[in-house]
Amino acid sequence: MDLFRHLRFFVAVAEEGHFGDAAARLEMTQPPVSQGLRRLEKELGVQLIRRTSRGAELTDAGRDLLPRARLLIDDAARFLGEARRLHDGTEVLRWGAVPLAGAAAVAAVAQRLGDVSSGQEMVSATTVSLVEQVSAGTLDLAIVDAPCVTGTLTTGPVVVFRRHIVVPAGHPVATAARPRLRQLAGLDFCHPPRAANPPAHDQLIDRLRESGLDPHVLPVSSTEHLVAAVAGGRAFGLTADPDRFAALDAVRCLPIGRDATALRLRVVYRESALGEVADVATAALWKISKATG
């Protein structure tokens, strides 16, 4: 049994209180998570999670073992991170960014980091996953969307990016003289699952409601997924890279509701020695936000 992997399943289900949300957080489907947790329980000889009609809740044994499981996961991730550093050399900078950041922001940060490191490796993941990796030491720093839960990590200042609304080309709002967010009523809202970063997700939905729009959220995992949903005529989405959609006849990008839909990014890191590198990444974000805002 892959103890490390199955402990991650246990911690995710315990913290989310729901198998579906835990699977989304782990970027997996639900069946392997449920099966892996059962296998862990069988191996340990105790029930950790009680399945209920509302989701999942900790048993007494699960509550007692959860802190130890978190420590084991953290220690294992640190061990792997240090091993990779020894194998690849300490000069390689490992960082990550949320897909929401967009290609322009990621490229700007990568260019600036190239000036202060002899090598770099970048990963794209959800905010929840990136915070876990930075906390565990497998990543040096990460660009996440705010607000978010960062624990003991050091956080840089929030940088605001204005986003465009991606709408079907045939929708009336695409040709309206004065388009408004409320005109999107009836369309699904394409956005990453709530489990990717619950605080930022909830804040965005609240802002849309304050603007007169209360959409049904359609979870999407990629730009291609968003494009397909919007082009089909039944959804809208957000993008920080409107130029990527310019050549697509089936969709349009509109600069409406920009305060309500703004993207807030910040750099998070664990080691104080990385403060100067984090400042470089933040400066790159500031520069691109002003150029595109």
Side-chain angles (χ1 to χ4, degrees), residues 27-293:
E27 299 181 332
M28 300 174 61
T29 58
Q30 183 173 331
V33 176
S34 181
Q35 294 165 11
L37 182 55
R38 286 196 180 94
R39 188 175 180 185
L40 176 63
E41 292 175 324
K42 182 178 179 180
E43 182 75 16
L44 298 177
V46 294
Q47 184 181 9
L48 302 171
I49 298 290
R50 184 178 298 109
R51 283 79 172 168
T52 70
S53 59
R54 293 177 296 178
E57 61 182 30
L58 286 166
T59 63
D60 289 341
R63 195 172 294 106
D64 289 341
L65 292 173
L66 181 59
R68 176 60 59 183
R70 289 181 173 131
L71 287 174
L72 287 171
I73 290 173
D74 188 51
D75 286 344
R78 288 171 186 261
F79 176 83
L80 292 174
E82 292 304 316
R84 291 192 186 102
R85 290 178 187 277
L86 292 172
H87 178 269
D88 299 332
T90 58
E91 296 302 319
V92 175
L93 180 71
R94 295 178 177 83
W95 64 285
V98 289
L100 292 173
V106 170
V109 171
Q111 184 179 37
R112 291 293 300 272
L113 291 180
D115 296 333
V116 297
S117 65
S118 59
Q120 58 178 291
E121 295 178 1
M122 182 269 178
V123 300
S124 178
T126 67
T127 286
V128 169
S129 176
L130 291 173
V131 168
E132 289 178 347
Q133 292 181 66
V134 175
S135 298
T138 54
L139 288 180
D140 296 309
L141 55 87
I143 299 168
V144 299
D145 56 322
C148 65
V149 177
T150 57
T152 60
L153 297 181
T154 302
T155 61
V158 171
V159 183
V160 179
F161 284 75
R162 304 299 184 185
R163 288 190 284 191
H164 282 59
I165 303 285
V166 187
V167 301
H171 193 277
V173 74
T175 54
R178 299 182 62 187
R180 295 290 184 270
L181 281 176
R182 61 176 61 94
Q183 293 176 269
L184 300 173
L187 296 179
D188 289 340
F189 175 36
C190 297
H191 197 266
R194 181 177 183 274
N197 183 6
H201 183 279
D202 293 346
Q203 184 183 81
L204 174 59
I205 297 302
D206 286 343
R207 285 181 172 147
L208 291 178
R209 287 171 178 163
E210 291 170 359
S211 300
L213 185 64
D214 189 9
H216 171 264
V217 178
L218 176 65
V220 295
S221 56
S222 66
T223 300
E224 290 73 19
H225 192 179
L226 182 152
V227 168
V230 175
R234 297 182 179 275
F236 73 95
L238 296 172
T239 182
D241 287 326
D243 292 343
R244 296 184 65 183
F245 298 85
L248 303 180
D249 295 333
V251 302
R252 297 289 184 271
C253 290
L254 306 175
I256 59 177
R258 302 182 75 181
D259 290 333
T261 61
L263 175 66
R264 291 162 173 80
L265 300 178
R266 72 191 322 167
V267 178
V268 298
Y269 57 99
R270 182 169 60 91
E271 299 180 12
S272 58
L274 290 168
E276 292 186 6
V277 178
D279 289 344
V280 168
T282 298
L285 291 177
W286 279 116
K287 184 176 181 179
I288 197 69
S289 70
K290 292 178 180 178
T292 59

